[in-house]
Amino acid sequence: MSESHENILRAAIEVARRAGENGNHPFGVLLVDEDENVLLEAENTVVTESDLTAHAELTLVRIASNKYSNEILEKCTIYASTEPCAMCSGAIFWSGIGRIVFGLSSQKFYEMIDDITPDRLSRSCRDVFAKGNRKIEIIGGMFEDEAAKVHEGFWK
């Protein structure tokens, strides 16, 4: 992974930290074009918007789908602080975005919060994408210890 990719992923982790400071679940994402320009960012707003679907990735996909063509999106990368859930993975698949890079894996995330959230759809994005007919490049978990820090003390 290049230094610029590392910096972009760390920026997504920073967006997640900000989401937690804003009273939301600490998840953040960036959309980056093929030249590594940040096009969009989104943080989780589930709590402040009172919308259980207001995950960072889903919000970003909604905005990106309205703003950019399929030709642009297929060359883009989503950088996510934590591996996308099944719902967000489905949205990423349908958006046509071609690659995802994430920090904390869903497996390690669910290990962290096992006793806190009994209701969950525990499925890796790799599992979701494997059922589709379009290849999405997946790179993760990167900097898992660093990405996990934004969750420490939040899930009580």
Side-chain angles (χ1 to χ4, degrees):
M1 183 179 248
S2 72
E3 185 176 332
S4 62
H5 289 297
E6 291 175 8
N7 292 336
I8 295 167
L9 183 54
R10 285 193 166 106
I13 294 168
E14 177 60 23
V15 173
R17 185 194 58 72
R18 192 172 64 231
E21 289 175 353
N22 290 334
N24 289 294
H25 304 149
F27 299 99
V29 294
L30 299 172
L31 182 69
V32 176
D33 69 14
E34 64 184 323
D35 297 319
E36 299 181 0
N37 298 304
V38 176
L39 302 177
L40 298 170
E41 72 173 49
E43 61 184 64
N44 181 292
T45 57
V46 166
V47 176
T48 56
E49 296 293 324
S50 298
D51 179 354
L52 296 174
T53 68
H55 292 197
E57 298 90 342
L58 192 54
T59 299
L60 183 130
V61 165
R62 283 183 184 131
I63 296 167
S65 295
N66 283 312
K67 191 168 184 174
Y68 300 106
S69 69
N70 290 343
E71 292 77 24
I72 291 173
L73 291 176
E74 68 187 12
K75 297 174 186 169
C76 286
T77 301
I78 285 184
Y79 288 83
S81 61
T82 302
E83 182 175 359
C85 71
M87 174 181 69
C88 293
S89 295
I92 292 166
F93 175 84
W94 291 113
S95 74
I97 294 169
R99 179 170 51 175
I100 180 156
V101 177
F102 62 84
L104 183 64
S105 69
S106 59
Q107 178 183 348
K108 291 198 178 185
F109 170 70
Y110 286 126
E111 287 171 5
M112 289 176 65
I113 66 163
D114 188 44
D115 295 334
I116 301 160
T117 55
D119 295 332
R120 66 175 174 254
L121 181 56
S122 183
R123 182 69 51 203
S124 83
C125 69
R126 286 178 174 88
D127 292 341
V128 173
F129 296 147
K131 300 296 183 186
N133 64 348
R134 184 174 66 77
K135 180 162 175 27
I136 299 172
E137 182 181 358
I138 305 164
I139 303 169
M142 307 292 298
F143 313 123
E144 287 198 283
D145 291 340
E146 190 175 330
K149 286 186 191 311
V150 299
H151 295 282
E152 291 175 358
F154 184 87
W155 303 96
K156 296 178 182 180

